[in-house]
Amino acid sequence: MAGGSFASATGDTHFESKITFAVIISCIMAATGGLMFGYDIGISGGVTSMPSFLKSFFPEVYRRTQEPAGDSNYCKYDNQSLQLFTSSLYLAALVATMFASPVTRKLGRKQTMFIAGVFFIVGTVLNAVVNSLILLILGRILLGCGVGFANQAVPVFLSEIAPTRIRGALNIMFQLNITIGILIANLVNYFTAKIKGGYGWRISLALAAVPAVMLTVGSLMVDDTPNSLIERGLEDEGKAVLKKIRGVENVEPEFQELLKASKVAKMVKHPFKSLLKRHTRPPLIIAIMLQIFQQFTGINAIMFYAPVLFNTLGFHSDASLYSAVITGAVNVLSTLVSVYFVDKVGRRMLLLEACVQMFVSQMVIAIVLGLKVQDHSDSLNQGYAVLVVVMVCTFVASFAWSWGPLGWLIPSETFPLETRSAGQSVTVFVNMLFTFIIAQAFLSMMCQLKFGIFLFFSAWVLAMSVFTVLLIPETKNIPIEEMTEKVWRNHWFWKSFTTSASDFEAKITPIVIISCIMAATGGLMFGYDVGVSGGVTSMPPFLKKFFPEVYKKTVEEKEVDSNYCKYDNEKLQLFTSCLYLAGLTATFFASYITRKQGRRATMLIAGFIFIAGVAFSAAAQNLAMLIIGRVLLGCGVGFANQAVPVFLSEIAPSRIRGALNILFQLNVTLGILFANLVNYGTNKIKGGWGWRLSLGLGGLPAVLLTLGAFLVVDTPNSLIERGHLEEGKVVLRKIRGVDNIEPEFLELVNASRVAKEVKHPFRNILKRRNRPQLIISIALQVFQQFTGINAIMFYAPVLFNTLGFKNDASLYSAVITGAVNVLSTVVSIYSADRLGRRMLLLEAGVQMFLSQFVIAVIIGKKVKDHSEDLSKGFAVLVVVMVCIFVSAFAWSWGPLSWLIPSEIFPLETRSAGQSVAVCVNLLSTFVIAQAFLSMLCLFKFGIFLFFSGCVLIMSTFVLFLLPETKNVPIEEMTERVWKHHWLWKRFIEDDCVKEEKVVTGN
């Protein structure tokens, strides 16, 4: 699953099987364990809203509910004994599951389900006839033991007996039965509440025996799973059952797979201890987190206390139970949605879509309750009451097709056989523990937090969304005994727990480090220019000499133009943006030179051109001379940005390629910081020539790059591509620091052979198999600029002047943001090869969105067209938000937009690909540089809302379309990344098929 999020389903080895009558009947019978559990969830909330039940066991609550003017509406049901009535079941279940685990393993899944049914029947009888609270709680404890045993055995039974291709649908029958049980309980409560004589609650509790009897009888009728039989040494019986449930004679491949898994399982004497081993941690962590998140969606809080909740909201007793019936029906129907979609769209998609729906619905409920339900109000008006029910139904629907069923499905299918019972035991234990916590605490939390309870749960929904995005792999259509090979070893993060990255042998040699440091000065050159151009455009002497119209608006006529429009001048924007226009043109020539003359020669040319541009700019006497200098600088940037990232990716060992490549971006940030410091100092020079010194010092990094290009060796990839095989081999041995470089050398020779067959790399890059890399490279460059970062960095001083800071303070603020930029890029150097590219990009998306949104709100409220300045507090807050934004960019989109394109293209299109990346980057930079001040004038504070919208789009792109490339050798990207990504593999596979047809045809 090199894409970081989606396991490949195509090409999986499905064992031969039919969907047999025996499987369907077995699953229906076993899934009644869910009916039993669901009925109890629904019934416990219903009886606690019946006055006769409350009067018999909880007189204090009864008194409060009958006194409308007494306690707060939110606190009427806040009673520890009442909460213990519900939660004691879950406390008993979490203890029982620890005993159920060895029973499931030693006696089988079938026997465990039988024991569960017996426990539940006894508990039901006791609950229905008791007259004291102690016996009532004892009955609940026995029910809890039944739930613990059932929830331990049933999901595992369903996952093991089901054919792979419909395992999700059949497993979700457990959750479907839970929802049906809740619905039946709500209907029963609705009618028993109307029974005169006060004994309706006894019928409600007694009817729980019906699903328990069904499970008990069903467990006597079904066969145990082949997995369980073989694990317990009953191999012949296991094979016979396997033939029966699969409906085919050829079960040998699956039988052998089960024997192999059983052999491994028998070697594990202490499954709970084995669960803690490193290779078992991925399914364990996911199983635990799924159970915690499932409860902290707030669903059981709603389902336990649906009638109580609606009473609290001011509905009358019948209406509240009627509303609970509606939500129960929605729960059932939505679970059917999951049955249909889980094996089609997959587990991840359902979880993520549901998170959005749950978050929105809970926010709406919180707002309605916060505005309309006061401590002693009697009712909501009809419109708001309907809205609350609709939002609850929306929430329940999303839960029912996602976190409800998948919280049980995923753990039951991801553990290997040797730890499956122990893993399921931990799953049930954690589920019951947190169900107990929520059940015990909910009414007290509602009393304390009031409507804020829904804000609390919505925050948890956000957290679980992030967890799903980053850490839950797709398990759709993966055979249950092949999860390790096909899921965990291909996941961007979890694979480090099961395998080590297969790298070519290499040491981290001084020559590699020195070469990378020298080459990365190309970033210093680029960064200095980015920073210095914004600084000099805020210096009055520079503006007076070259842009008198802007000087007049900013210095002489401060009150005339809007604060947002003072710097809106096409010529001033052209001063900055012409560099990028020249750079994107130069990169096409640089691509050819990089391929034919090498990376080293291209860097040398970049340095010479940049030095010439610096000389023109520093000595400029008129605007034309200044623009010519900028054009030459742009050519230097185009050549440097073409060669340096490729040089760094090719020369670095795979395991630290990310860190060494990010040296380029680190130097960009150092250049920006250095430029800000220089601008701050030169702005104080009297005589009006400080801007010349600022521009002239741009020659220093260019000299460093030029000298560095003379000193370093070219990359082995480039040397071998140009036919210098022996020299390439010598350099490879030198930079790797080992003698055994033959495997990597042969890989490079093979890549070179393919590259030489490509006569027109720019035409070749448009072929279908190269489109994934091309699309990603183009998108990354566009997105990098449309974060708004260069807008801030070009015009940081201008921006802070616009916000009302004084001139020195604006440059000082720019220095602060520059320092943050440098330090945060160091974070990326450390994290890129540990956490991976995707995690950094996704985390940064959240951080950038929030910071830009806050900036927009402050500026919208506090900066008017002719205001002079911000208050000190708001000024500091703007700088802090800009720094938060810059830090997020600096450890994500800044370095990774250069790193990823330089490492994903195959050798034959690498120079052309990098050329396109640089061209698009500079074109997008040109567009932003040329348009930003006009956009600022037109949009005002809305400019930050525009960029935050772009951040949302790019985060979605990363989530679905950007694969993880961490620790993958640069010449193995096709095999190990593109051919395993859920979408891009189609481009590679289709192209391979076409090539095979051509060869066959010839």
Side-chain angles (χ1 to χ4, degrees):
M1 200 160 45
S5 303
F6 300 91
S8 170
T10 303
D12 289 338
T13 55
H14 291 298
F15 299 119
E16 191 178 344
S17 66
K18 295 177 182 177
I19 301 172
T20 60
F21 182 74
V23 163
I24 301 300
I25 291 297
S26 296
C27 289
I28 290 172
M29 297 300 285
T32 54
L35 191 68
M36 187 174 81
F37 184 29
Y39 185 88
D40 188 82
I41 290 173
I43 214 73
S44 59
V47 296
T48 54
S49 70
M50 295 183 187
S52 57
F53 178 80
L54 293 175
K55 189 175 183 180
S56 298
F57 298 102
F58 308 101
E60 186 182 338
V61 179
Y62 174 76
R63 178 183 54 77
R64 276 190 263 165
T65 57
Q66 300 304 308
E67 296 173 2
D71 280 306
S72 162
N73 268 331
Y74 288 103
C75 301
K76 285 180 180 179
Y77 291 87
D78 181 18
N79 179 276
Q80 289 300 313
S81 297
L82 176 60
Q83 292 176 191
L84 183 63
F85 163 72
T86 296
S87 59
S88 59
L89 180 145
Y90 302 97
L91 193 61
L94 70 88
V95 175
T97 190
M98 305 310 290
F99 297 95
S101 175
V103 172
T104 307
R105 198 175 188 207
K106 298 296 183 184
L107 299 180
R109 290 48 164 155
K110 177 179 174 177
Q111 291 297 327
T112 310
M113 291 189 291
F114 178 79
I115 294 168
V118 173
F119 265 124
F120 206 86
I121 291 169
V122 176
T124 299
V125 170
L126 192 58
N127 264 182
V129 301
V130 296
N131 289 303
S132 71
L133 181 59
I134 293 174
L135 288 177
L136 186 72
I137 298 300
L138 180 59
R140 295 289 292 171
I141 289 171
L142 289 170
L143 293 176
C145 293
V147 167
F149 273 74
N151 287 17
Q152 166 71 27
V154 172
V156 173
F157 179 91
L158 295 171
S159 284
E160 288 182 342
I161 208 165
T164 301
R165 65 185 182 278
I166 59 165
R167 185 178 65 240
L170 291 182
N171 189 286
I172 288 172
M173 290 183 72
F174 177 70
Q175 180 67 20
L176 177 63
N177 273 269
I178 291 176
T179 62
I180 292 171
I182 293 170
L183 176 60
I184 291 172
N186 287 332
L187 289 168
V188 168
N189 285 334
Y190 182 68
F191 289 107
T192 57
K194 297 179 180 293
I195 295 174
K196 294 178 180 179
Y199 63 89
W201 62 268
R202 293 188 185 275
I203 296 175
S204 290
L205 294 177
L207 287 175
V210 175
V213 170
M214 291 173 69
L215 178 65
T216 307
V217 174
S219 66
L220 294 174
M221 295 172 62
V222 300
D223 295 302
D224 212 340
T225 69
N227 312 59
S228 177
L229 291 166
I230 294 168
E231 184 183 18
R232 291 182 283 130
L234 306 172
E235 294 177 6
D236 292 338
E237 188 179 346
K239 192 169 187 177
V241 171
L242 188 61
K243 284 183 179 180
K244 181 180 176 182
I245 64 174
R246 296 294 178 250
V248 295
E249 287 297 318
N250 182 26
V251 295
E252 197 60 32
E254 186 172 4
F255 179 67
Q256 291 301 323
E257 188 72 32
L258 293 178
L259 283 176
K260 180 182 173 184
S262 173
K263 185 179 178 182
V264 174
K266 286 175 181 175
M267 293 167 62
V268 177
K269 303 300 180 186
H270 305 286
F272 282 99
K273 192 183 293 182
S274 182
L275 264 183
L276 300 176
K277 289 183 178 178
R278 183 173 175 82
H279 71 276
T280 316
R281 286 180 205 166
L284 179 64
I285 292 169
I286 286 176
I288 290 171
M289 295 310 297
L290 281 173
Q291 304 318 306
I292 295 172
F293 288 148
Q294 189 193 64
Q295 299 313 308
F296 277 88
T297 57
I299 185 65
N300 276 5
I302 286 176
M303 286 309 195
F304 290 152
Y305 300 111
V308 174
L309 177 65
F310 286 115
N311 269 333
T312 296
L313 298 180
F315 291 65
H316 297 299
S317 187
D318 279 358
S320 72
L321 282 168
Y322 189 60
S323 302
V325 170
I326 293 172
T327 58
V330 169
N331 202 6
V332 173
L333 294 173
S334 301
T335 305
L336 289 173
V337 172
S338 187
V339 170
Y340 180 79
F341 281 110
V342 70
D343 292 311
K344 292 179 172 64
V345 302
R347 285 66 161 150
R348 280 172 50 87
M349 185 71 77
L350 290 175
L351 290 172
L352 290 169
E353 185 282 333
C355 283
V356 176
Q357 197 168 318
M358 289 192 291
F359 179 80
V360 171
S361 55
Q362 285 192 322
M363 289 296 292
V364 173
I365 291 171
I367 291 168
V368 172
L369 266 58
L371 294 175
K372 296 297 178 180
V373 177
Q374 306 305 319
D375 275 356
H376 300 284
S377 66
D378 279 328
S379 62
L380 291 168
N381 66 40
Q382 188 175 5
Y384 283 111
V386 170
L387 179 60
V388 169
V389 174
V390 169
M391 285 297 104
V392 168
C393 288
T394 302
F395 173 85
V396 169
S398 57
F399 177 88
W401 63 54
S402 61
W403 291 89
L406 301 182
W408 294 109
L409 166 60
I410 293 172
S412 72
E413 67 183 0
T414 53
F415 283 101
L417 183 59
E418 65 270 20
T419 56
R420 191 167 298 145
S421 292
Q424 185 66 13
S425 180
V426 170
T427 299
V428 176
F429 180 90
V430 175
N431 183 282
M432 294 302 159
L433 174 63
F434 282 89
T435 307
F436 168 77
I437 291 170
I438 290 294
Q440 189 65 19
F442 176 69
L443 291 179
S444 298
M445 289 170 68
M446 189 162 74
C447 179
Q448 295 299 317
L449 298 177
K450 299 181 171 62
F451 67 89
I453 189 75
F454 293 98
L455 297 177
F456 170 79
F457 286 128
S458 64
W460 275 94
V461 170
L462 276 181
M464 64 183 72
S465 303
V466 175
F467 183 84
T468 303
V469 166
L470 299 177
L471 295 176
I472 295 183
E474 185 54 73
T475 55
K476 178 187 73 160
N477 294 338
I478 307 295
I480 194 169
E481 305 300 352
E482 296 185 15
M483 289 291 167
T484 299
E485 290 297 324
K486 294 190 173 180
V487 174
W488 307 118
R489 287 184 178 172
N490 289 312
H491 188 271
W492 72 274
F493 180 71
W494 299 124
K495 67 182 179 183
S496 62
F497 288 78
T498 56
T499 60
S500 56
S502 61
D503 234 339
F504 296 120
E505 192 177 343
K507 295 178 182 176
I508 301 171
T509 57
I511 189 170
V512 164
I513 302 300
I514 292 168
S515 296
C516 289
I517 291 171
M518 296 300 285
T521 54
L524 192 67
M525 187 174 82
F526 182 32
Y528 184 86
D529 190 81
V530 169
V532 87
S533 58
V536 296
T537 54
S538 70
M539 296 182 185
F542 179 82
L543 293 174
K544 188 175 183 179
K545 185 170 183 65
F546 297 106
F547 308 99
E549 187 180 333
V550 179
Y551 175 78
K552 187 178 179 182
K553 282 194 282 184
T554 56
V555 178
E556 296 178 357
E557 301 174 357
K558 290 186 178 180
E559 299 299 324
V560 177
D561 271 305
S562 162
N563 268 332
Y564 290 102
C565 302
K566 286 180 179 179
Y567 292 88
D568 182 19
N569 181 275
E570 290 297 319
K571 291 179 181 177
L572 177 60
Q573 292 176 192
L574 181 64
F575 162 72
T576 296
S577 59
C578 65
L579 179 145
Y580 303 97
L581 197 59
L584 68 90
T585 304
T587 190
F588 289 106
F589 298 97
S591 172
Y592 177 81
I593 293 172
T594 304
R595 196 176 188 207
K596 296 297 182 182
Q597 304 299 322
R599 289 50 163 154
R600 182 187 177 201
T602 311
M603 292 189 290
L604 190 64
I605 294 168
F608 280 128
I609 296 175
F610 201 87
I611 290 169
V614 168
F616 265 90
S617 296
Q621 297 299 319
N622 54 51
L623 184 59
M625 192 173 174
L626 188 71
I627 297 300
I628 290 171
R630 294 290 291 172
V631 169
L632 288 170
L633 293 174
C635 292
V637 166
F639 273 75
N641 288 17
Q642 165 69 29
V644 172
V646 173
F647 177 91
L648 295 171
S649 284
E650 288 182 343
I651 208 166
S654 298
R655 66 184 183 277
I656 59 164
R657 184 177 64 242
L660 291 182
N661 188 284
I662 290 171
L663 283 171
F664 176 74
Q665 181 66 19
L666 177 63
N667 273 268
V668 171
T669 62
L670 285 169
I672 293 169
L673 176 59
F674 180 47
N676 287 332
L677 290 168
V678 167
N679 286 336
Y680 184 66
T682 56
N683 191 48
K684 296 180 180 295
I685 295 175
K686 294 179 181 178
W689 53 272
W691 63 268
R692 292 190 186 275
L693 185 57
S694 288
L695 295 176
L697 287 174
L700 286 179
V703 169
L704 287 172
L705 178 65
T706 308
L707 291 175
F710 276 117
L711 295 172
V712 300
V713 292
D714 212 340
T715 69
N717 312 58
S718 177
L719 291 166
I720 293 168
E721 183 184 20
R722 290 183 285 127
H724 307 301
L725 269 64
E726 287 305 315
E727 188 180 350
K729 195 170 188 177
V730 170
V731 170
L732 186 61
R733 185 175 284 112
K734 186 177 179 182
I735 63 174
R736 295 294 179 250
V738 295
D739 289 323
N740 181 28
I741 47 92
E742 200 63 28
E744 187 172 3
F745 177 71
L746 291 174
E747 187 76 30
L748 294 178
V749 169
N750 183 55
S752 172
R753 179 185 56 77
V754 175
K756 285 177 181 175
E757 292 173 0
V758 177
K759 303 301 180 185
H760 306 286
F762 281 100
R763 190 184 301 169
N764 188 265
I765 207 172
L766 297 175
K767 288 187 176 179
R768 184 173 174 82
R769 69 171 177 269
N770 289 320
R771 285 180 203 166
Q773 303 94 313
L774 182 64
I775 291 168
I776 285 173
S777 293
I778 290 173
L780 285 174
Q781 305 314 312
V782 173
F783 289 151
Q784 188 197 58
Q785 299 312 309
F786 278 83
T787 57
I789 186 65
N790 275 6
I792 286 176
M793 286 308 193
F794 290 152
Y795 301 111
V798 174
L799 178 64
F800 286 115
N801 268 336
T802 297
L803 297 180
F805 289 65
K806 305 302 180 201
N807 201 42
D808 278 358
S810 71
L811 282 167
Y812 189 61
S813 300
V815 170
I816 293 172
T817 57
V820 169
N821 202 6
V822 173
L823 294 173
S824 301
T825 305
V826 174
V827 171
S828 187
I829 289 175
Y830 177 80
S831 302
D833 293 311
R834 289 174 173 80
L835 300 178
R837 285 64 161 151
R838 280 170 53 86
M839 180 171 281
L840 290 175
L841 290 170
L842 289 167
E843 184 282 331
V846 175
Q847 195 168 319
M848 290 192 292
F849 176 82
L850 294 176
S851 55
Q852 286 195 321
F853 189 79
V854 172
I855 291 171
V857 170
I858 294 171
I859 295 177
K861 288 284 185 183
K862 296 296 179 181
V863 176
K864 306 304 179 187
D865 276 356
H866 300 284
S867 66
E868 282 296 315
D869 55 17
L870 290 168
S871 69
K872 187 175 181 181
F874 281 110
V876 170
L877 183 55
V878 168
V879 175
V880 169
M881 286 297 108
V882 168
C883 288
I884 289 173
F885 172 84
V886 169
S887 67
F889 176 88
W891 61 54
S892 61
W893 289 92
L896 300 182
S897 294
W898 293 109
L899 165 59
I900 294 170
S902 72
E903 67 183 0
I904 59 176
F905 283 100
L907 184 59
E908 65 269 22
T909 56
R910 191 167 298 144
S911 292
Q914 185 66 15
S915 180
V916 170
V918 174
C919 175
V920 174
N921 182 281
L922 295 177
L923 176 62
S924 301
T925 308
F926 168 77
V927 170
I928 290 294
Q930 190 66 19
F932 175 68
L933 290 180
S934 299
M935 290 169 69
L936 184 66
C937 178
L938 181 64
F939 291 173
K940 300 179 171 62
F941 66 90
I943 188 75
F944 294 100
L945 296 177
F946 168 78
F947 286 129
S948 64
C950 293
V951 169
L952 273 183
I953 294 170
M954 63 185 72
S955 298
T956 305
F957 179 88
V958 172
L959 174 61
F960 291 106
L961 296 177
L962 185 70
E964 184 53 71
T965 55
K966 178 187 75 163
N967 293 338
V968 180
I970 194 169
E971 305 301 353
E972 294 187 14
M973 289 290 168
T974 300
E975 290 298 322
R976 293 174 57 177
V977 174
W978 307 114
K979 287 187 178 180
H980 292 279
H981 188 273
W982 72 277
L983 174 66
W984 302 127
K985 67 182 178 185
R986 301 175 193 176
F987 289 78
I988 308 299
E989 289 166 359
D990 290 354
D991 224 47
C992 290
V993 170
K994 287 178 184 176
E995 287 181 4
E996 285 175 14
K997 286 181 179 177
V998 170
V999 171
T1000 306
N1002 290 337

